[in-house]
Structures are given as C-alpha cells and as structure tokens.
C-alpha cells in the first residue's frame, strides 16, 4: 500500500516540477519579448573643421586680333610669363598644365555681331593643381604682377578640396557613436529605464562642405550615425 502511494507521489512531483520550470521559461520568454519591444532610436553627430589639402586654380585670359599668327605668338609669350611667375614662386612644373587654346573665328560666323571688331579671339587657361594650398593663396594676392606683364587674366572657379577623409573617419565615427549613446542615456534616465544592447546601427554619409563662402579653403566634415538601443527596466 505504501509502495503504491509512493509510486503515485513521484510522478506527480515530477509533473509539478515540470510545470514550474515551464512557467518560469514562459515568463522569461514573455519578459524578453516585452523587453525587446522597448527601444529608442538616437542620432549622434560628429563635426570637424579641416583645412583643404588640395587646390585647383585655373588662370584664364583671352587675346583678340586680326592676324592669327600674331595672336598665337602673344599667347605663347603669355603662357611663358605665367609659368615663370608660378615656378619662381614655389609651384613645380609638374603642378602646372597649359590647356590647348580655344579659338573663335569671327570671319566664319555669318551671325557675328558688329560689336566684335576683330577677326579672331583666342582663350587659354593655365591650371595649377597642387597640395600647396597656402602658397596658392599667397599667389592669389600677388596676381597684379601678371597685370604688369600685360596679361589681362580672369580667375575661374578655384576649387579647394580635402582628401584626408580616411584619416579622420575612425575618430569621427567613434565620436558620433559616443554622442548617440549620451542621447540614449538621457532618454533612458528621463523614462526611468536604462540602456541595453544595440539593436541596429547605421553610419550616415560623410559630407564635406565649405565652412562659409568667404573661406572656401576651410572645410566642415560632418557625419550622423543612427543607433537603435534596447531599453531595460
């Protein structure tokens, strides 16, 4: 009789234990689902001002006249003067390119304007491409020396670039991530919770823009990272 009673108690105890374990497991699963439904999306910004390390400077001029050979000789002389001005002031020949001249023949234009009193006009551009940004900025302030040589030049768009993005990317990404975490911590504190693990993270595109129109040689580098954190009680 006692053995029969014992044989009934043991299976019942095992079943009860299994029910308890199953209940705890279900609760943990439900809590985990509820926990994972709580999240916060934050953005971290990182900005940095840098100096351009590359510049492209086109020096353009035009000469008009009625004798094409004479105009060509003047173009060659002007190019030599410009190149001498640049090389004697720290720009290497490898950093200078003389573009082929662009010729306008008014005699072949049946729609020519009477306001254009010459038969030919030749435009030419001498371009400097260099990493010597400060040197170019210095020479821009000394262009009057070319005017004294009889060269009526014009500056096309001077393009300043920053090519060292890969060198500062890791630090900026780390800074953006840190700022995103600070925003998440503040949100969690306000909601009486705490920040958990990262659910998803995406790095935004880096942008490089002029700091302002008057200083195009100073660039502003910017990146925004978007991170989703789980929130815990």
């Amino acid at each position: 009789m006692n053995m029969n009673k014992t044989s009934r108690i043991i299976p019942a105890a095992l079943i009860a234990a299994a029910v308890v374990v199953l209940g705890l497991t279900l609760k943990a699963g439900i809590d985990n689902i509820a926990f994972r439904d709580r999240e916060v999306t934050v953005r971290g910004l990182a900005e940095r001002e840098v100096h351009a390390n590359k510049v492209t400077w086109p020096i353009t001029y035009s000469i008009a006249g009625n004798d094409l050979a004479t105009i060509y000789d003047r173009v060659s002389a002007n190019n030599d003067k410009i190149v001498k001005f640049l090389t004697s002031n720290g720009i290497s020949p490898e950093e200078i390119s003389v573009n082929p001249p662009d010729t306008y023949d008014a005699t072949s234009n049946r729609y020519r304007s009477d306001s254009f009193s010459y038969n030919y006009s030749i435009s030419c551009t001498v371009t400097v491409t260099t990493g010597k940004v400060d040197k170019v900025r210095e020479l821009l302030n000394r262009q009057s020396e070319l005017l004294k040589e009889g060269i009526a030049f014009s500056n096309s768009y001077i393009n300043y670039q920053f090519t060292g993005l890969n060198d500062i990317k890791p630090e900026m990404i780390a800074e953006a991530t840190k700022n995103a975490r600070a925003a998440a911590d503040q949100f969690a504190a306000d909601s009486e919770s705490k920040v958990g693990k990262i659910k998803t993270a995406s790095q935004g595109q880096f942008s490089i823009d002029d700091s302002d129109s008057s200083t195009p040689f100073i660039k502003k580098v910017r990146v925004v990272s978007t991170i989703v954190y789980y929130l815990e009680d």
Side-chain angles (χ1 to χ4, degrees):
M1 188 72 177
N2 290 336
M3 290 186 63
N4 290 336
K5 185 177 180 180
T6 301
S7 62
R8 289 195 301 268
I9 291 174
I10 292 175
L14 292 175
I15 292 172
V19 170
V20 171
V21 171
L22 179 60
L24 292 174
T25 303
L26 288 173
K27 182 179 183 304
I30 293 171
D31 290 344
N32 187 52
I33 292 172
F35 157 71
R36 290 187 178 276
D37 283 341
R38 299 182 59 205
E39 60 188 41
V40 59
T41 301
V42 290
R43 290 177 175 84
L45 169 67
E47 287 184 327
R48 185 169 300 186
E49 279 195 349
V50 297
H51 281 262
N53 60 358
K54 182 179 180 181
V55 59
T56 301
W57 172 27
I59 306 171
T60 302
Y61 66 91
S62 296
I63 299 177
N66 293 319
D67 183 72
L68 197 56
T70 301
I71 298 173
Y72 180 79
D73 288 342
R74 289 179 60 192
V75 166
S76 297
N78 280 357
N79 289 345
D80 290 342
K81 291 176 182 178
I82 293 173
V83 171
K84 181 179 179 181
F85 167 73
L86 295 171
T87 55
S88 62
N89 287 289
I91 304 298
S92 66
E94 295 77 15
E95 297 169 320
I96 304 169
S97 62
V98 180
N99 297 350
D102 183 18
T103 304
Y104 169 67
D105 182 359
T107 62
S108 64
N109 184 359
R110 58 185 296 186
Y111 302 107
R112 64 177 290 181
S113 171
D114 291 337
S115 62
F116 190 77
S117 57
Y118 296 101
N119 291 335
Y120 305 101
S121 174
I122 294 182
S123 298
C124 192
T125 301
V126 178
T127 304
V128 176
T129 304
T130 179
K132 302 168 185 173
V133 176
D134 291 339
K135 174 58 67 175
V136 167
R137 292 182 58 214
E138 173 195 333
L139 295 181
L140 285 170
N141 293 325
R142 294 174 51 191
Q143 290 181 96
S144 58
E145 296 177 27
L146 293 176
L147 294 176
K148 293 177 182 178
E149 294 284 345
I151 303 174
F153 62 89
S154 65
N155 288 322
S156 301
Y157 176 68
I158 301 173
N159 184 26
Y160 293 94
Q161 295 175 272
F162 175 69
T163 63
L165 181 59
N166 287 336
D167 295 332
I168 63 175
K169 260 186 177 182
E171 291 182 2
M172 291 193 66
I173 292 173
E175 181 182 345
T177 302
K178 179 181 178 181
N179 291 338
R181 177 64 190 229
D185 287 339
Q186 183 61 54
F187 181 89
D190 294 341
S191 61
E192 297 183 352
S193 56
K194 61 181 181 179
V195 178
K197 295 181 179 180
I198 292 177
K199 180 182 179 182
T200 60
S202 62
Q203 173 197 313
Q205 292 288 331
F206 276 83
S207 63
I208 304 176
D209 302 298
D210 293 347
S211 181
D212 58 66
S213 59
S214 62
T215 56
F217 50 89
I218 299 177
K219 303 295 182 180
K220 179 178 290 186
V221 184
R222 188 175 187 269
V223 65
V224 178
S225 294
T226 302
I227 303 177
V228 180
Y229 289 97
Y230 289 118
L231 290 178
E232 302 173 355
D233 291 328

